[in-house]
Amino acid sequence: MVLLFKPTISFPLNMSLDPPKLNPRSFTIMNDTNNFTTPVDSSMTIDAPMEKRRLPILLFDVMDTIVRDPFYHDIPAFFGMSMKELLECKHPTAWNEFEKGLIDEDELARKFFKDGRHFDLQGLKTCIKRGYSFLDGVEELLCALKINNYEMHTFTNYPVWYQMIEDKLNLSNYLSWTFCSCKVGKQKPDPAFYDEVLRYLEVEPRSCIFIDDRMKNVEAAVHAGIIGLQFKGADVLRQDLSRLGVNIAVEELNNE
């Protein structure tokens, strides 16, 4: 019998092993699953020299990484369908077009179902907004990262309805709504979306950590040279970030 393990931390295969010029020190992380060691940039250590911009930059998926996604339970219930029934009768491309900003919500309402049936769009939006909530432990983790002055951005596939998330949860208290598919016109795991992010940030890929619940999106980030973390809960993410040298200790700051 063969057992397959998927580590939560994925490193780019072509990541440079040379330490950055700012700090010649480096440290090693041991992945318990695969028993391998990977030198990590010392610019990511807790006591790295402080510049105007603190590295690494953290890129977060939103749905089912920070915020509960209402799609899987709330939306089928709104229509009185099972998930299987909903997938069978919804338009195959309308939601993706909406996420990429190619159509507006009125066009989405016209195309949402393959048969063109009408439905209460505002009622659906109310249902979706009601379903948004922080996943357990994530808001506290974001707060700790913010206190430690890390630069954080969303990197998410979502339509203009991201504003409903902001209105309810005030996500911008912790990170910027910088990279949304509806703004860029691209979706993960399209490599062009990752290239767009790196061009905007003007940093080396290895200076970014990307967190997403979907492994295919993490793998695409790793292919772009970005360090990838698969989200498996706030506690696991906290451990993974700590192993990468990301400072999430709040108690020490409060005692200073």
Side-chain angles (χ1 to χ4, degrees):
M1 180 176 64
V2 178
L3 297 179
L4 299 179
F5 296 97
K6 285 189 176 181
T8 57
I9 304 178
S10 300
F11 295 97
L13 294 177
N14 61 347
M15 186 175 75
S16 172
L17 301 184
D18 296 328
K21 295 179 180 179
L22 287 176
N23 188 342
R25 297 181 297 108
S26 63
F27 68 100
T28 301
I29 289 177
M30 176 69 76
N31 185 307
D32 296 330
T33 340
N34 289 350
N35 291 326
F36 67 83
T37 59
T38 305
V40 179
D41 296 339
S42 58
S43 59
M44 292 163 48
T45 60
I46 293 175
D47 58 349
M50 290 298 294
E51 300 293 328
K52 292 182 179 178
R53 195 175 196 184
R54 184 170 192 178
L55 299 179
I57 295 171
L58 304 176
L59 304 170
F60 281 88
D61 173 53
V62 175
M63 306 314 296
D64 279 343
T65 299
I66 295 177
V67 176
R68 174 185 177 271
D69 191 345
F71 178 76
Y72 299 101
H73 301 287
D74 301 12
I75 293 179
F78 174 81
F79 290 114
M81 300 178 180
S82 68
M83 189 65 189
K84 182 175 182 294
E85 290 170 332
L86 179 61
L87 292 177
E88 288 174 349
C89 63
K90 78 178 186 67
H91 191 280
T93 64
W95 182 259
N96 286 337
E97 293 169 6
F98 188 39
E99 277 195 341
K100 291 194 286 187
L102 301 178
I103 62 174
D104 60 19
E105 65 178 34
D106 291 332
E107 182 67 12
L108 174 72
R110 288 191 290 269
K111 294 179 63 175
F112 189 84
F113 288 107
K114 288 186 289 188
D115 59 11
R117 74 185 73 171
H118 297 286
F119 64 92
D120 179 6
L121 177 63
Q122 292 305 314
L124 176 62
K125 291 174 65 176
T126 299
C127 169
I128 290 173
K129 185 174 182 179
R130 188 184 304 119
Y132 294 141
S133 62
F134 281 106
L135 298 180
D136 288 346
V138 171
E139 185 176 16
E140 293 80 3
L141 178 56
L142 291 176
C143 183
L145 292 167
K146 183 70 173 179
I147 290 173
N148 281 282
N149 297 314
Y150 284 101
E151 180 179 340
M152 295 184 284
H153 302 268
T154 62
F155 184 10
T156 185
N157 293 346
Y158 215 64
V160 293
W161 289 349
Y162 76 86
Q163 187 61 53
M164 295 197 299
I165 302 175
E166 174 63 19
D167 291 344
K168 182 174 183 181
L169 302 179
N170 296 310
L171 210 59
S172 60
N173 286 341
Y174 309 108
L175 72 174
S176 300
W177 287 97
T178 314
F179 307 111
C180 291
S181 58
C182 64
K183 297 180 180 180
V184 181
K186 301 178 178 65
Q187 290 175 304
K188 300 171 297 183
D190 182 354
F193 198 179
Y194 296 80
D195 292 341
E196 192 77 24
V197 170
L198 294 172
R199 277 194 296 269
Y200 181 92
L201 293 175
E202 297 182 327
V203 295
E204 292 296 321
R206 63 180 184 171
S207 296
C208 299
I209 298 176
F210 171 64
I211 302 103
D212 196 303
D213 63 300
R214 297 192 176 188
M215 195 62 192
K216 66 179 181 180
N217 295 335
V218 174
E219 291 170 346
V222 171
H223 185 74
I226 299 168
I227 295 173
L229 298 177
Q230 185 182 19
F231 180 78
K232 294 183 177 180
D235 291 340
V236 174
L237 178 56
R238 183 180 290 269
Q239 294 169 11
D240 286 343
L241 290 173
S242 294
R243 293 169 70 191
L244 289 171
V246 175
N247 187 359
I248 52 177
V250 178
E251 295 80 9
E252 294 178 6
L253 294 177
N254 293 335
N255 292 332
E256 290 180 355

